[in-house]
Amino acid sequence: MAHKAAQWPSEETLLLWKREQARLKARMVDRDTEAWQRDPTFSGLQRVGGVDVSFINGDSDRACASLVVLSYPELEVTWVVYEDSHMVRLKAPYVSGFLAFREVPFLVELVQRLQEKEPGFMPQVLLVDGNGVLHQRGFGVACHLGVLTDVPCIGVAKKLLQVDGLENNPLHKQKIVLLQAGGDTFPLMGNSGMVLGMALKSHDHSTNPLYISVGHRISLEVAVRLTHHCCRFRIPEPIRQADIRSRDYIRRTLGHPVSPAHRQERSQKEQRPKVYPKDGPGAPADQGRLPKDYGRDSSTDLKDPQPGFQEQQKDQQLERTEHHEDSDL
């Protein structure tokens, strides 16, 4: 049966969305609430999650939502402790400033599914491929997800959202050039006088910064520091792995024609979240660990004699063919 693409929302719907953002924004917390956040070494932080929504070229109706939880501080691909991806049918179109209404319902579902089935693997913080308070109304997708799940969230955007007078102009580009080493930052202060986020050079070999903003239940300083700690390459590892797995899931689900019976059987298996428990009593030493080459290719191998250089090229290629409507993250 054919499905109609999501219809452009009416003015009444847009007004309702604005009211919902304002209602939820009143519940947003922009300060540290957890003990591990106040520790200089993040002692007590054990599980970091990442979420991503990948879209299908030429298909405006379907996407793949993915949640990955990694063990901290290892953050190795072999220490993915939980992953869940599934195909979704988009019910809202992309509208600048309202990305959350297109994507967040599916991300909330993933978090709730984890909470219900494997509460011991709940992430203590989520890194979100999108903005937090760096948004037209100060309530981006990372804030929306954080408030609805009550999980600390960090907004991590790959492009600057130009709001409150922020512009990707020559002055902004000059500041980027002055970022010399991984961990270097500069504040994103709008015309309002508020610091909406930080530009972060996440890796020594990265050319373009990330734009970090508060989502929920975390301070900007801690959000920036933790994001940098999570970057083996330019993109924080939890988000990078969520992206890898969502794209792989699309390929496995849609890449090869199969019979209806096989498709149904495979779909039922793939819809189950995967749990990779760490070494437990009586468990083999490698139980719960993925193959070391899972999610890697020659461009992300840690043995690369110029670590990050090929990953930087990959990031630049990704930005030219970006799957995410990140003019409004």
Side-chain angles (χ1 to χ4, degrees):
M1 181 176 66
H3 291 267
K4 293 183 179 180
Q7 297 295 313
W8 189 262
S10 65
E11 289 299 320
E12 181 181 5
T13 297
L14 293 176
L15 181 59
L16 289 174
W17 285 356
K18 286 182 180 180
R19 289 174 177 170
E20 180 67 0
Q21 286 178 330
R23 184 183 71 85
L24 294 176
K25 184 178 179 180
R27 294 163 47 187
M28 185 188 71
V29 177
D30 60 0
R31 65 181 184 279
D32 296 325
T33 61
E34 309 302 303
W36 63 261
Q37 295 168 335
R38 293 183 282 272
D39 187 284
T41 63
F42 298 133
S43 176
L45 178 61
Q46 297 178 321
R47 297 173 306 281
V48 178
V51 292
D52 183 74
V53 178
S54 289
F55 296 87
I56 303 168
N57 290 335
D59 189 338
S60 61
D61 198 29
R62 290 182 296 176
C64 180
S66 181
L67 164 65
V68 167
V69 182
L70 290 91
S71 176
Y72 187 88
E74 293 87 359
L75 294 172
E76 292 284 346
V77 67
T78 50
W79 283 102
V80 173
V81 297
Y82 178 92
E83 68 171 280
D84 190 8
S85 299
H86 66 104
M87 300 302 298
V88 298
R89 193 164 294 278
L90 303 167
K91 299 178 181 178
Y94 169 70
V95 182
S96 179
F98 299 100
L99 181 64
F101 294 93
R102 179 170 168 87
E103 297 186 3
V104 163
F106 308 116
L107 301 179
V108 169
E109 182 181 338
L110 288 172
V111 175
Q112 290 177 338
R113 182 165 158 169
L114 169 55
Q115 177 67 62
E116 292 169 2
K117 296 183 178 297
E118 299 290 344
F121 292 97
M122 275 291 291
Q124 294 163 277
V125 61
L126 277 171
L127 275 66
V128 182
D129 185 15
N131 281 310
V133 299
L134 178 55
H135 178 265
Q136 289 91 331
R137 286 169 294 282
F139 196 76
V141 63
C143 302
H144 209 119
L145 179 62
V147 169
L148 290 182
T149 61
D150 201 29
V151 175
C153 282
I154 300 171
V156 182
K158 295 183 284 294
K159 296 180 182 178
L160 176 66
L161 181 60
Q162 302 184 72
V163 297
D164 194 18
L166 294 173
E167 294 183 45
N168 189 18
N169 54 22
L171 177 59
H172 182 79
K173 293 175 181 177
Q174 183 180 2
K175 291 180 179 179
I176 291 175
V177 172
L178 295 176
L179 299 176
Q180 296 296 308
D184 286 354
T185 63
F186 64 82
L188 302 169
M189 181 178 291
N191 289 339
S192 64
M194 295 182 60
V195 175
L196 302 178
M198 297 286 282
L200 165 69
K201 185 178 178 71
S202 58
H203 190 278
D204 287 343
H205 296 274
S206 295
T207 302
N208 298 314
L210 297 175
Y211 297 97
I212 312 302
S213 56
V214 170
H216 182 54
R217 292 179 55 188
I218 197 164
S219 66
L220 180 58
E221 184 271 330
V222 170
V224 171
R225 197 156 49 86
L226 179 59
T227 300
H228 181 231
H229 284 192
C230 289
C231 290
R232 294 168 56 232
F233 304 105
R234 178 184 176 232
I235 305 301
E237 202 61 17
I239 293 177
R240 201 174 78 92
Q241 291 302 325
D243 175 74
I244 289 171
R245 282 157 172 75
S246 61
R247 291 170 183 269
D248 181 62
Y249 189 87
I250 289 174
R251 283 192 293 269
R252 288 185 288 111
T253 304
L254 305 178
H256 303 285
V258 294
S259 67
H262 186 200
R263 185 182 299 114
Q264 181 178 5
E265 178 184 0
R266 184 173 68 181
S267 176
Q268 290 173 346
K269 290 180 180 179
E270 291 180 339
Q271 289 293 329
R272 301 189 188 107
K274 297 179 181 179
V275 179
Y276 303 100
K278 294 183 185 179
D279 301 347
D286 61 349
Q287 180 177 339
R289 300 191 183 187
L290 298 176
K292 289 186 177 181
D293 60 351
Y294 187 93
R296 287 186 184 172
D297 54 31
S298 60
S299 67
T300 59
D301 196 326
L302 290 177
K303 296 180 181 179
D304 191 326
Q306 291 180 303
F309 175 72
Q310 290 180 325
E311 185 67 17
Q312 173 185 327
Q313 292 180 316
K314 184 177 178 182
D315 285 336
Q316 291 171 343
Q317 181 180 10
L318 176 63
E319 288 177 356
R320 289 195 294 268
T321 59
E322 185 57 54
H323 73 288
H324 204 308
E325 296 113 330
D326 63 357
S327 60
D328 166 40
L329 285 171

